[in-house]
Amino acid sequence: MYNSINFNKTVSLDLGPQASFLLSERKNVDFKESETFEFGVAGGLTLNVTKSIFLQGRYVLGLTEASKDADVKNSVVQISAGFKF
């Protein structure tokens, strides 16, 4: 669940937690070493181009370990566009 801080009708700041569940992985990664749940925080900006079209950019910083055997955390950059109904 994200909280949005609206600067005006066009731009908003989005902040909140993110929970991730491992559904699959590549063949070169051992499933026994990977964590199946991760927790992180996300922040980003939303740009409302029109009443129906938006653009969004977010960054997610992983707070929990991604592997049982290594000090590895995930970080993600997301860019999206969408329509509002």
Side-chain angles (χ1 to χ4, degrees):
M1 175 182 242
Y2 286 92
N3 289 324
S4 292
I5 300 169
N6 296 314
F7 295 121
N8 52 42
K9 292 182 180 181
T10 305
V11 179
S12 65
L13 175 67
D14 307 314
L15 302 169
Q18 177 166 311
S20 302
F21 298 92
L22 178 64
L23 299 178
S24 67
E25 59 189 345
R26 296 183 179 158
K27 292 180 182 178
N28 61 350
V29 177
D30 185 5
F31 183 72
K32 294 175 185 174
E33 295 178 6
S34 299
E35 295 290 346
T36 57
F37 174 79
E38 291 182 85
F39 184 76
V41 293
L45 290 174
T46 298
L47 174 65
N48 294 308
V49 179
T50 66
K51 289 183 180 181
S52 301
I53 299 172
F54 69 91
L55 300 172
Q56 185 179 57
R58 293 192 304 175
Y59 177 74
V60 181
L61 174 65
L63 298 177
T64 58
E65 300 296 329
S67 174
K68 296 176 184 175
D69 296 333
D71 186 21
V72 178
K73 295 180 182 177
N74 284 324
S75 62
V76 179
V77 174
Q78 298 172 324
I79 299 172
S80 42
F83 298 100
K84 296 178 184 179
F85 295 97

mmCIF file of all heavy atoms in Angstrom, residues 19-68:
data_model
loop_
_atom_site.group_PDB
_atom_site.id
_atom_site.type_symbol
_atom_site.label_atom_id
_atom_site.label_comp_id
_atom_site.label_asym_id
_atom_site.label_seq_id
_atom_site.Cartn_x
_atom_site.Cartn_y
_atom_site.Cartn_z
ATOM 1 N N ALA A 19 6.367 -5.931 -0.510
ATOM 2 C CA ALA A 19 6.641 -7.328 -0.179
ATOM 3 C C ALA A 19 6.776 -8.098 -1.486
ATOM 4 O O ALA A 19 5.996 -7.897 -2.412
ATOM 5 C CB ALA A 19 5.514 -7.913 0.666
ATOM 6 N N SER A 20 7.791 -8.966 -1.566
ATOM 7 C CA SER A 20 8.039 -9.740 -2.780
ATOM 8 C C SER A 20 8.095 -11.223 -2.449
ATOM 9 O O SER A 20 8.676 -11.620 -1.435
ATOM 10 C CB SER A 20 9.370 -9.317 -3.409
ATOM 11 O OG SER A 20 9.384 -7.947 -3.701
ATOM 12 N N PHE A 21 7.506 -12.031 -3.333
ATOM 13 C CA PHE A 21 7.502 -13.479 -3.174
ATOM 14 C C PHE A 21 8.167 -14.102 -4.396
ATOM 15 O O PHE A 21 7.851 -13.746 -5.528
ATOM 16 C CB PHE A 21 6.070 -14.010 -3.038
ATOM 17 C CG PHE A 21 5.355 -13.492 -1.839
ATOM 18 C CD1 PHE A 21 4.571 -12.354 -1.914
ATOM 19 C CD2 PHE A 21 5.473 -14.128 -0.615
ATOM 20 C CE1 PHE A 21 3.913 -11.857 -0.811
ATOM 21 C CE2 PHE A 21 4.822 -13.644 0.507
ATOM 22 C CZ PHE A 21 4.041 -12.512 0.409
ATOM 23 N N LEU A 22 9.071 -15.044 -4.186
ATOM 24 C CA LEU A 22 9.761 -15.734 -5.274
ATOM 25 C C LEU A 22 8.818 -16.750 -5.903
ATOM 26 O O LEU A 22 8.345 -17.668 -5.239
ATOM 27 C CB LEU A 22 11.015 -16.433 -4.742
ATOM 28 C CG LEU A 22 11.820 -17.226 -5.757
ATOM 29 C CD1 LEU A 22 12.398 -16.303 -6.821
ATOM 30 C CD2 LEU A 22 12.932 -17.988 -5.060
ATOM 31 N N LEU A 23 8.537 -16.570 -7.206
ATOM 32 C CA LEU A 23 7.678 -17.503 -7.921
ATOM 33 C C LEU A 23 8.477 -18.455 -8.801
ATOM 34 O O LEU A 23 8.087 -19.596 -9.002
ATOM 35 C CB LEU A 23 6.663 -16.738 -8.769
ATOM 36 C CG LEU A 23 5.706 -15.832 -8.006
ATOM 37 C CD1 LEU A 23 4.799 -15.092 -8.975
ATOM 38 C CD2 LEU A 23 4.879 -16.632 -7.016
ATOM 39 N N SER A 24 9.588 -17.959 -9.368
ATOM 40 C CA SER A 24 10.444 -18.796 -10.205
ATOM 41 C C SER A 24 11.825 -18.167 -10.247
ATOM 42 O O SER A 24 12.019 -17.040 -9.809
ATOM 43 C CB SER A 24 9.873 -18.924 -11.614
ATOM 44 O OG SER A 24 9.918 -17.676 -12.275
ATOM 45 N N GLU A 25 12.785 -18.916 -10.790
ATOM 46 C CA GLU A 25 14.133 -18.379 -10.936
ATOM 47 C C GLU A 25 14.839 -19.064 -12.094
ATOM 48 O O GLU A 25 14.386 -20.082 -12.603
ATOM 49 C CB GLU A 25 14.925 -18.534 -9.646
ATOM 50 C CG GLU A 25 15.086 -19.941 -9.172
ATOM 51 C CD GLU A 25 15.697 -20.006 -7.787
ATOM 52 O OE1 GLU A 25 16.247 -19.017 -7.317
ATOM 53 O OE2 GLU A 25 15.603 -21.055 -7.170
ATOM 54 N N ARG A 26 15.954 -18.511 -12.522
ATOM 55 C CA ARG A 26 16.714 -19.057 -13.641
ATOM 56 C C ARG A 26 17.402 -20.352 -13.249
ATOM 57 O O ARG A 26 17.653 -20.624 -12.084
ATOM 58 C CB ARG A 26 17.744 -18.034 -14.101
ATOM 59 C CG ARG A 26 17.096 -16.798 -14.647
ATOM 60 C CD ARG A 26 18.122 -15.851 -15.158
ATOM 61 N NE ARG A 26 17.463 -14.674 -15.695
ATOM 62 C CZ ARG A 26 18.030 -13.523 -15.839
ATOM 63 N NH1 ARG A 26 19.286 -13.354 -15.505
ATOM 64 N NH2 ARG A 26 17.370 -12.515 -16.322
ATOM 65 N N LYS A 27 17.749 -21.125 -14.247
ATOM 66 C CA LYS A 27 18.359 -22.432 -14.011
ATOM 67 C C LYS A 27 19.719 -22.350 -13.331
ATOM 68 O O LYS A 27 20.114 -23.254 -12.631
ATOM 69 C CB LYS A 27 18.517 -23.179 -15.338
ATOM 70 C CG LYS A 27 17.202 -23.588 -15.941
ATOM 71 C CD LYS A 27 17.425 -24.313 -17.239
ATOM 72 C CE LYS A 27 16.101 -24.679 -17.884
ATOM 73 N NZ LYS A 27 16.309 -25.344 -19.168
ATOM 74 N N ASN A 28 20.452 -21.264 -13.520
ATOM 75 C CA ASN A 28 21.789 -21.172 -12.942
ATOM 76 C C ASN A 28 21.788 -20.695 -11.482
ATOM 77 O O ASN A 28 22.829 -20.426 -10.920
ATOM 78 C CB ASN A 28 22.690 -20.268 -13.784
ATOM 79 C CG ASN A 28 22.173 -18.843 -13.868
ATOM 80 O OD1 ASN A 28 21.064 -18.557 -13.468
ATOM 81 N ND2 ASN A 28 22.987 -17.953 -14.399
ATOM 82 N N VAL A 29 20.617 -20.598 -10.868
ATOM 83 C CA VAL A 29 20.498 -20.200 -9.466
ATOM 84 C C VAL A 29 19.919 -21.375 -8.687
ATOM 85 O O VAL A 29 18.934 -21.984 -9.091
ATOM 86 C CB VAL A 29 19.589 -18.961 -9.307
ATOM 87 C CG1 VAL A 29 19.418 -18.600 -7.857
ATOM 88 C CG2 VAL A 29 20.150 -17.796 -10.094
ATOM 89 N N ASP A 30 20.527 -21.695 -7.564
ATOM 90 C CA ASP A 30 20.052 -22.793 -6.730
ATOM 91 C C ASP A 30 18.903 -22.314 -5.854
ATOM 92 O O ASP A 30 19.080 -21.415 -5.030
ATOM 93 C CB ASP A 30 21.204 -23.334 -5.879
ATOM 94 C CG ASP A 30 20.819 -24.565 -5.082
ATOM 95 O OD1 ASP A 30 19.694 -25.074 -5.250
ATOM 96 O OD2 ASP A 30 21.662 -25.022 -4.295
ATOM 97 N N PHE A 31 17.737 -22.914 -6.022
ATOM 98 C CA PHE A 31 16.543 -22.511 -5.281
ATOM 99 C C PHE A 31 16.728 -22.659 -3.771
ATOM 100 O O PHE A 31 16.177 -21.909 -3.000
ATOM 101 C CB PHE A 31 15.341 -23.340 -5.749
ATOM 102 C CG PHE A 31 14.053 -22.949 -5.110
ATOM 103 C CD1 PHE A 31 13.431 -21.761 -5.446
ATOM 104 C CD2 PHE A 31 13.463 -23.753 -4.151
ATOM 105 C CE1 PHE A 31 12.246 -21.389 -4.842
ATOM 106 C CE2 PHE A 31 12.275 -23.389 -3.551
ATOM 107 C CZ PHE A 31 11.666 -22.206 -3.906
ATOM 108 N N LYS A 32 17.538 -23.606 -3.355
ATOM 109 C CA LYS A 32 17.739 -23.838 -1.930
ATOM 110 C C LYS A 32 18.490 -22.690 -1.257
ATOM 111 O O LYS A 32 18.424 -22.518 -0.059
ATOM 112 C CB LYS A 32 18.488 -25.148 -1.713
ATOM 113 C CG LYS A 32 17.690 -26.349 -2.142
ATOM 114 C CD LYS A 32 18.492 -27.612 -2.021
ATOM 115 C CE LYS A 32 17.708 -28.791 -2.570
ATOM 116 N NZ LYS A 32 18.494 -30.009 -2.613
ATOM 117 N N GLU A 33 19.220 -21.892 -2.045
ATOM 118 C CA GLU A 33 19.984 -20.773 -1.498
ATOM 119 C C GLU A 33 19.198 -19.463 -1.506
ATOM 120 O O GLU A 33 19.563 -18.526 -0.833
ATOM 121 C CB GLU A 33 21.278 -20.597 -2.287
ATOM 122 C CG GLU A 33 22.233 -21.760 -2.152
ATOM 123 C CD GLU A 33 23.480 -21.572 -2.987
ATOM 124 O OE1 GLU A 33 23.649 -20.489 -3.569
ATOM 125 O OE2 GLU A 33 24.277 -22.498 -3.062
ATOM 126 N N SER A 34 18.145 -19.393 -2.282
ATOM 127 C CA SER A 34 17.377 -18.157 -2.417
ATOM 128 C C SER A 34 16.307 -18.052 -1.335
ATOM 129 O O SER A 34 15.703 -19.042 -0.948
ATOM 130 C CB SER A 34 16.697 -18.098 -3.778
ATOM 131 O OG SER A 34 17.644 -18.116 -4.803
ATOM 132 N N GLU A 35 16.079 -16.846 -0.878
ATOM 133 C CA GLU A 35 14.975 -16.586 0.035
ATOM 134 C C GLU A 35 13.684 -16.522 -0.779
ATOM 135 O O GLU A 35 13.689 -16.057 -1.919
ATOM 136 C CB GLU A 35 15.180 -15.272 0.786
ATOM 137 C CG GLU A 35 16.376 -15.269 1.716
ATOM 138 C CD GLU A 35 16.198 -16.156 2.933
ATOM 139 O OE1 GLU A 35 15.066 -16.568 3.214
ATOM 140 O OE2 GLU A 35 17.208 -16.443 3.590
ATOM 141 N N THR A 36 12.592 -16.968 -0.236
ATOM 142 C CA THR A 36 11.324 -16.944 -0.960
ATOM 143 C C THR A 36 10.488 -15.710 -0.643
ATOM 144 O O THR A 36 9.486 -15.468 -1.292
ATOM 145 C CB THR A 36 10.500 -18.212 -0.656
ATOM 146 O OG1 THR A 36 10.308 -18.299 0.747
ATOM 147 C CG2 THR A 36 11.225 -19.450 -1.145
ATOM 148 N N PHE A 37 10.896 -14.904 0.332
ATOM 149 C CA PHE A 37 10.181 -13.681 0.687
ATOM 150 C C PHE A 37 11.199 -12.574 0.921
ATOM 151 O O PHE A 37 12.242 -12.792 1.530
ATOM 152 C CB PHE A 37 9.350 -13.888 1.961
ATOM 153 C CG PHE A 37 8.699 -12.620 2.452
ATOM 154 C CD1 PHE A 37 7.551 -12.152 1.850
ATOM 155 C CD2 PHE A 37 9.238 -11.897 3.496
ATOM 156 C CE1 PHE A 37 6.947 -10.978 2.286
ATOM 157 C CE2 PHE A 37 8.648 -10.724 3.940
ATOM 158 C CZ PHE A 37 7.495 -10.272 3.333
ATOM 159 N N GLU A 38 10.887 -11.402 0.410
ATOM 160 C CA GLU A 38 11.725 -10.226 0.642
ATOM 161 C C GLU A 38 10.834 -9.036 0.984
ATOM 162 O O GLU A 38 9.682 -8.968 0.557
ATOM 163 C CB GLU A 38 12.539 -9.878 -0.603
ATOM 164 C CG GLU A 38 13.614 -10.866 -0.931
ATOM 165 C CD GLU A 38 14.393 -10.411 -2.133
ATOM 166 O OE1 GLU A 38 15.326 -9.625 -1.942
ATOM 167 O OE2 GLU A 38 14.043 -10.829 -3.233
ATOM 168 N N PHE A 39 11.403 -8.105 1.714
ATOM 169 C CA PHE A 39 10.695 -6.889 2.101
ATOM 170 C C PHE A 39 11.556 -5.692 1.730
ATOM 171 O O PHE A 39 12.782 -5.729 1.862
ATOM 172 C CB PHE A 39 10.406 -6.883 3.606
ATOM 173 C CG PHE A 39 9.609 -5.703 4.051
ATOM 174 C CD1 PHE A 39 8.249 -5.640 3.808
ATOM 175 C CD2 PHE A 39 10.219 -4.646 4.692
ATOM 176 C CE1 PHE A 39 7.500 -4.545 4.199
ATOM 177 C CE2 PHE A 39 9.481 -3.541 5.094
ATOM 178 C CZ PHE A 39 8.119 -3.501 4.840
ATOM 179 N N GLY A 40 10.921 -4.622 1.256
ATOM 180 C CA GLY A 40 11.666 -3.432 0.882
ATOM 181 C C GLY A 40 10.813 -2.185 1.003
ATOM 182 O O GLY A 40 9.636 -2.244 1.387
ATOM 183 N N VAL A 41 11.414 -1.056 0.689
ATOM 184 C CA VAL A 41 10.701 0.220 0.655
ATOM 185 C C VAL A 41 10.802 0.785 -0.752
ATOM 186 O O VAL A 41 11.802 0.602 -1.438
ATOM 187 C CB VAL A 41 11.251 1.232 1.687
ATOM 188 C CG1 VAL A 41 10.969 0.778 3.089
ATOM 189 C CG2 VAL A 41 12.729 1.480 1.492
ATOM 190 N N ALA A 42 9.729 1.457 -1.168
ATOM 191 C CA ALA A 42 9.673 2.005 -2.517
ATOM 192 C C ALA A 42 9.345 3.484 -2.469
ATOM 193 O O ALA A 42 8.633 3.954 -1.576
ATOM 194 C CB ALA A 42 8.624 1.259 -3.339
ATOM 195 N N GLY A 43 9.882 4.208 -3.425
ATOM 196 C CA GLY A 43 9.583 5.625 -3.563
ATOM 197 C C GLY A 43 9.633 6.002 -5.030
ATOM 198 O O GLY A 43 10.403 5.426 -5.800
ATOM 199 N N GLY A 44 8.797 6.939 -5.427
ATOM 200 C CA GLY A 44 8.797 7.336 -6.824
ATOM 201 C C GLY A 44 7.935 8.545 -7.074
ATOM 202 O O GLY A 44 7.349 9.121 -6.153
ATOM 203 N N LEU A 45 7.873 8.913 -8.334
ATOM 204 C CA LEU A 45 7.073 10.050 -8.771
ATOM 205 C C LEU A 45 6.066 9.599 -9.805
ATOM 206 O O LEU A 45 6.373 8.758 -10.654
ATOM 207 C CB LEU A 45 7.954 11.137 -9.388
ATOM 208 C CG LEU A 45 8.861 11.908 -8.441
ATOM 209 C CD1 LEU A 45 9.772 12.832 -9.235
ATOM 210 C CD2 LEU A 45 8.045 12.703 -7.449
ATOM 211 N N THR A 46 4.868 10.179 -9.743
ATOM 212 C CA THR A 46 3.846 9.946 -10.751
ATOM 213 C C THR A 46 3.547 11.269 -11.436
ATOM 214 O O THR A 46 3.373 12.295 -10.783
ATOM 215 C CB THR A 46 2.557 9.387 -10.121
ATOM 216 O OG1 THR A 46 2.853 8.132 -9.516
ATOM 217 C CG2 THR A 46 1.463 9.193 -11.159
ATOM 218 N N LEU A 47 3.497 11.226 -12.766
ATOM 219 C CA LEU A 47 3.177 12.396 -13.576
ATOM 220 C C LEU A 47 1.871 12.113 -14.304
ATOM 221 O O LEU A 47 1.794 11.180 -15.118
ATOM 222 C CB LEU A 47 4.293 12.678 -14.579
ATOM 223 C CG LEU A 47 4.052 13.781 -15.596
ATOM 224 C CD1 LEU A 47 3.934 15.132 -14.898
ATOM 225 C CD2 LEU A 47 5.162 13.806 -16.622
ATOM 226 N N ASN A 48 0.832 12.867 -13.978
ATOM 227 C CA ASN A 48 -0.461 12.735 -14.656
ATOM 228 C C ASN A 48 -0.427 13.599 -15.904
ATOM 229 O O ASN A 48 -0.538 14.817 -15.832
ATOM 230 C CB ASN A 48 -1.599 13.146 -13.728
ATOM 231 C CG ASN A 48 -1.729 12.211 -12.552
ATOM 232 O OD1 ASN A 48 -1.809 11.008 -12.726
ATOM 233 N ND2 ASN A 48 -1.718 12.767 -11.356
ATOM 234 N N VAL A 49 -0.252 12.946 -17.053
ATOM 235 C CA VAL A 49 -0.147 13.664 -18.329
ATOM 236 C C VAL A 49 -1.498 14.274 -18.694
ATOM 237 O O VAL A 49 -1.584 15.430 -19.099
ATOM 238 C CB VAL A 49 0.356 12.716 -19.441
ATOM 239 C CG1 VAL A 49 0.459 13.438 -20.765
ATOM 240 C CG2 VAL A 49 1.702 12.106 -19.050
ATOM 241 N N THR A 50 -2.562 13.465 -18.572
ATOM 242 C CA THR A 50 -3.938 13.931 -18.743
ATOM 243 C C THR A 50 -4.747 13.326 -17.597
ATOM 244 O O THR A 50 -4.190 12.679 -16.722
ATOM 245 C CB THR A 50 -4.531 13.472 -20.104
ATOM 246 O OG1 THR A 50 -4.656 12.052 -20.090
ATOM 247 C CG2 THR A 50 -3.666 13.915 -21.267
ATOM 248 N N LYS A 51 -6.068 13.489 -17.627
ATOM 249 C CA LYS A 51 -6.902 12.863 -16.594
ATOM 250 C C LYS A 51 -6.871 11.342 -16.687
ATOM 251 O O LYS A 51 -7.132 10.655 -15.716
ATOM 252 C CB LYS A 51 -8.350 13.353 -16.707
ATOM 253 C CG LYS A 51 -8.537 14.781 -16.292
ATOM 254 C CD LYS A 51 -9.997 15.162 -16.356
ATOM 255 C CE LYS A 51 -10.185 16.604 -15.927
ATOM 256 N NZ LYS A 51 -11.598 17.008 -15.946
ATOM 257 N N SER A 52 -6.549 10.817 -17.861
ATOM 258 C CA SER A 52 -6.595 9.371 -18.080
ATOM 259 C C SER A 52 -5.225 8.712 -18.248
ATOM 260 O O SER A 52 -5.121 7.502 -18.138
ATOM 261 C CB SER A 52 -7.426 9.066 -19.327
ATOM 262 O OG SER A 52 -8.732 9.558 -19.185
ATOM 263 N N ILE A 53 -4.182 9.453 -18.527
ATOM 264 C CA ILE A 53 -2.855 8.885 -18.817
ATOM 265 C C ILE A 53 -1.851 9.336 -17.768
ATOM 266 O O ILE A 53 -1.794 10.514 -17.422
ATOM 267 C CB ILE A 53 -2.374 9.312 -20.219
ATOM 268 C CG1 ILE A 53 -3.353 8.803 -21.282
ATOM 269 C CG2 ILE A 53 -0.975 8.779 -20.501
ATOM 270 C CD1 ILE A 53 -3.069 9.343 -22.667
ATOM 271 N N PHE A 54 -1.040 8.375 -17.270
ATOM 272 C CA PHE A 54 -0.009 8.722 -16.299
ATOM 273 C C PHE A 54 1.305 8.039 -16.643
ATOM 274 O O PHE A 54 1.339 7.008 -17.305
ATOM 275 C CB PHE A 54 -0.447 8.360 -14.873
ATOM 276 C CG PHE A 54 -0.519 6.880 -14.613
ATOM 277 C CD1 PHE A 54 0.587 6.195 -14.123
ATOM 278 C CD2 PHE A 54 -1.682 6.175 -14.850
ATOM 279 C CE1 PHE A 54 0.530 4.830 -13.883
ATOM 280 C CE2 PHE A 54 -1.754 4.815 -14.603
ATOM 281 C CZ PHE A 54 -0.645 4.136 -14.122
ATOM 282 N N LEU A 55 2.393 8.611 -16.171
ATOM 283 C CA LEU A 55 3.731 8.040 -16.235
ATOM 284 C C LEU A 55 4.239 7.933 -14.810
ATOM 285 O O LEU A 55 3.985 8.814 -13.988
ATOM 286 C CB LEU A 55 4.676 8.925 -17.053
ATOM 287 C CG LEU A 55 4.297 9.176 -18.504
ATOM 288 C CD1 LEU A 55 5.223 10.234 -19.107
ATOM 289 C CD2 LEU A 55 4.360 7.896 -19.299
ATOM 290 N N GLN A 56 4.983 6.869 -14.528
ATOM 291 C CA GLN A 56 5.464 6.674 -13.158
ATOM 292 C C GLN A 56 6.875 6.094 -13.173
ATOM 293 O O GLN A 56 7.197 5.247 -13.995
ATOM 294 C CB GLN A 56 4.526 5.726 -12.427
ATOM 295 C CG GLN A 56 4.836 5.537 -10.966
ATOM 296 C CD GLN A 56 3.842 4.597 -10.303
ATOM 297 O OE1 GLN A 56 3.679 3.474 -10.739
ATOM 298 N NE2 GLN A 56 3.185 5.083 -9.257
ATOM 299 N N GLY A 57 7.692 6.567 -12.260
ATOM 300 C CA GLY A 57 9.016 6.006 -12.041
ATOM 301 C C GLY A 57 9.179 5.710 -10.560
ATOM 302 O O GLY A 57 8.766 6.513 -9.718
ATOM 303 N N ARG A 58 9.727 4.503 -10.249
ATOM 304 C CA ARG A 58 9.898 4.123 -8.843
ATOM 305 C C ARG A 58 11.251 3.456 -8.653
ATOM 306 O O ARG A 58 11.800 2.853 -9.560
ATOM 307 C CB ARG A 58 8.825 3.114 -8.398
ATOM 308 C CG ARG A 58 7.459 3.652 -8.367
ATOM 309 C CD ARG A 58 6.504 2.747 -7.657
ATOM 310 N NE ARG A 58 6.475 1.399 -8.221
ATOM 311 C CZ ARG A 58 5.778 0.402 -7.702
ATOM 312 N NH1 ARG A 58 5.062 0.591 -6.622
ATOM 313 N NH2 ARG A 58 5.787 -0.782 -8.260
ATOM 314 N N TYR A 59 11.740 3.543 -7.427
ATOM 315 C CA TYR A 59 12.934 2.817 -7.005
ATOM 316 C C TYR A 59 12.570 2.010 -5.763
ATOM 317 O O TYR A 59 11.956 2.542 -4.844
ATOM 318 C CB TYR A 59 14.076 3.780 -6.686
ATOM 319 C CG TYR A 59 15.307 3.072 -6.184
ATOM 320 C CD1 TYR A 59 16.114 2.353 -7.059
ATOM 321 C CD2 TYR A 59 15.639 3.087 -4.840
ATOM 322 C CE1 TYR A 59 17.240 1.677 -6.598
ATOM 323 C CE2 TYR A 59 16.758 2.415 -4.373
ATOM 324 C CZ TYR A 59 17.553 1.719 -5.259
ATOM 325 O OH TYR A 59 18.661 1.041 -4.809
ATOM 326 N N VAL A 60 12.941 0.728 -5.767
ATOM 327 C CA VAL A 60 12.666 -0.147 -4.629
ATOM 328 C C VAL A 60 13.995 -0.593 -4.031
ATOM 329 O O VAL A 60 14.859 -1.115 -4.743
ATOM 330 C CB VAL A 60 11.838 -1.390 -5.041
ATOM 331 C CG1 VAL A 60 11.557 -2.259 -3.831
ATOM 332 C CG2 VAL A 60 10.549 -0.976 -5.731
ATOM 333 N N LEU A 61 14.159 -0.358 -2.748
ATOM 334 C CA LEU A 61 15.364 -0.759 -2.019
ATOM 335 C C LEU A 61 15.025 -1.951 -1.140
ATOM 336 O O LEU A 61 14.174 -1.849 -0.253
ATOM 337 C CB LEU A 61 15.867 0.393 -1.152
ATOM 338 C CG LEU A 61 17.042 0.093 -0.222
ATOM 339 C CD1 LEU A 61 18.288 -0.248 -1.037
ATOM 340 C CD2 LEU A 61 17.303 1.274 0.683
ATOM 341 N N GLY A 62 15.666 -3.098 -1.411
ATOM 342 C CA GLY A 62 15.440 -4.293 -0.611
ATOM 343 C C GLY A 62 16.060 -4.150 0.768
ATOM 344 O O GLY A 62 17.190 -3.701 0.907
ATOM 345 N N LEU A 63 15.321 -4.533 1.789
ATOM 346 C CA LEU A 63 15.810 -4.434 3.169
ATOM 347 C C LEU A 63 16.200 -5.789 3.745
ATOM 348 O O LEU A 63 16.909 -5.844 4.748
ATOM 349 C CB LEU A 63 14.738 -3.796 4.057
ATOM 350 C CG LEU A 63 14.331 -2.374 3.686
ATOM 351 C CD1 LEU A 63 13.214 -1.891 4.595
ATOM 352 C CD2 LEU A 63 15.521 -1.436 3.750
ATOM 353 N N THR A 64 15.730 -6.876 3.135
ATOM 354 C CA THR A 64 16.056 -8.211 3.621
ATOM 355 C C THR A 64 16.979 -8.905 2.622
ATOM 356 O O THR A 64 17.058 -8.522 1.460
ATOM 357 C CB THR A 64 14.778 -9.052 3.827
ATOM 358 O OG1 THR A 64 14.071 -9.124 2.593
ATOM 359 C CG2 THR A 64 13.910 -8.447 4.904
ATOM 360 N N GLU A 65 17.663 -9.936 3.077
ATOM 361 C CA GLU A 65 18.619 -10.660 2.243
ATOM 362 C C GLU A 65 17.895 -11.459 1.156
ATOM 363 O O GLU A 65 16.855 -12.051 1.405
ATOM 364 C CB GLU A 65 19.460 -11.615 3.088
ATOM 365 C CG GLU A 65 20.265 -10.920 4.170
ATOM 366 C CD GLU A 65 21.313 -9.972 3.621
ATOM 367 O OE1 GLU A 65 21.846 -10.220 2.524
ATOM 368 O OE2 GLU A 65 21.594 -8.968 4.289
ATOM 369 N N ALA A 66 18.476 -11.501 -0.047
ATOM 370 C CA ALA A 66 17.910 -12.253 -1.158
ATOM 371 C C ALA A 66 18.427 -13.683 -1.204
ATOM 372 O O ALA A 66 17.865 -14.529 -1.881
ATOM 373 C CB ALA A 66 18.225 -11.550 -2.479
ATOM 374 N N SER A 67 19.510 -13.960 -0.472
ATOM 375 C CA SER A 67 20.114 -15.289 -0.465
ATOM 376 C C SER A 67 20.478 -15.681 0.957
ATOM 377 O O SER A 67 20.867 -14.841 1.758
ATOM 378 C CB SER A 67 21.368 -15.300 -1.345
ATOM 379 O OG SER A 67 22.036 -16.522 -1.248
ATOM 380 N N LYS A 68 20.402 -16.970 1.233
ATOM 381 C CA LYS A 68 20.762 -17.474 2.556
ATOM 382 C C LYS A 68 22.272 -17.519 2.752
ATOM 383 O O LYS A 68 22.766 -17.440 3.865
ATOM 384 C CB LYS A 68 20.175 -18.869 2.756
ATOM 385 C CG LYS A 68 18.672 -18.901 2.760
ATOM 386 C CD LYS A 68 18.146 -20.307 2.861
ATOM 387 C CE LYS A 68 16.627 -20.298 2.757
ATOM 388 N NZ LYS A 68 16.078 -21.646 2.739
#
